[in-house]
Structure formats: C-alpha cells, structure tokens
Amino acid sequence: MTDTVVIHKLARGKVSGDAWTALDLRIGLLHETSTAAPTVDDEFVADLVPASNELVNDDYTRVALASLAATWNATTKLYELTADDVTWAAMTGATLTQGVKGYFVYVDVTDDSDSWLVRTVIYSTAETFNGSDYIVGWDSTGVLTVGV
C-alpha cells in the first residue's frame, strides 16, 4: 500500500513561489488511531485535528520547519519548497505505547481555527515508537511543489 498525500486547496494559489519561505510553516503528528480522512477541501488545522486525531503525550509538540528554501525548477516549471528534516528526539515514556498514522504541515496564524493546512500525509501502516528519534524526512522535491 502507498501513503495518502493530500495538498489542501488553500495551499493552491494562495502564496506564490518563493514567498512560502516567509511563512511560519509547522508540522504536527497524527495519532495511530486517528480517524482523520483529509480531503483537498479541508482548510484549517481544526478541520483535521480534533483532540482524538493529533498525537498527545509528554514527548511531542508541533515543530516549526527550519531552513525553508524555495527553488525554481525550470524543467517542471514549479517551485520546490524544501526544509530540514524534522526530528522528535527519543520518543519514550508515554509515547512507547503509541504510534503515528501520519503528519500535517500547516501555516501557523493564531490558532487551529485560522491556521491553514498545506499538506497531510496518512501512512499506509502506522509507525510505532520504539524509544528512538522519530524523523519526518522529505523526498527529493521537498515539502511541497507550487506553481508561480
């Protein structure tokens, strides 16, 4: 099975090209029992993560994406938004009985009701914590590709 990737509608055409790097982009994790079923029509974090969907434990907080860069790809005619991989260190304690079903990337505004979703990934199989670092890495095109 393959992961489900959703690029939300507010991410399409809302921000042009390299302006993405000026935004406060963050990432959050979805709990292994999450019933979130993201669609392109989901607009805000609150649409996706009522308390039962987001991971809640002592070792987890949402994280701001670091080293954002937007690079024009002349072949695809798209900007590729890249960032450093995100690491939650040594997921232990309360998290050992939990796992992750996926993650969501969003633009932080003031709270979940106006912070808009950019990308959500639902894994085909939940990943269980084992006490090691938990890392979300980006593929070769980065966090997101967007038109001009």
Side-chain angles (χ1 to χ4, degrees), residues 27-31 49 53-63 88-89 91-92 95 98 100 102-104 106 129 134:
I27 185 172
L29 299 176
L30 297 171
H31 190 277
V49 291
N53 285 329
E54 187 171 9
L55 185 67
V56 177
N57 61 59
D58 298 339
D59 299 324
Y60 164 76
T61 58
R62 296 177 186 175
V63 176
W88 286 268
M91 296 294 270
T92 60
T95 61
Q98 298 177 331
V100 173
Y103 64 86
F104 56 99
Y106 67 101
F129 297 133
Y134 185 77

Side-chain angles (χ1 to χ4, degrees), residues 28-44:
L29 299 176
L30 297 171
H31 190 277
E32 68 186 340
T33 61
S34 168
T35 58
T39 71
V40 295
D41 292 327
D42 292 329
E43 295 181 358
F44 303 102

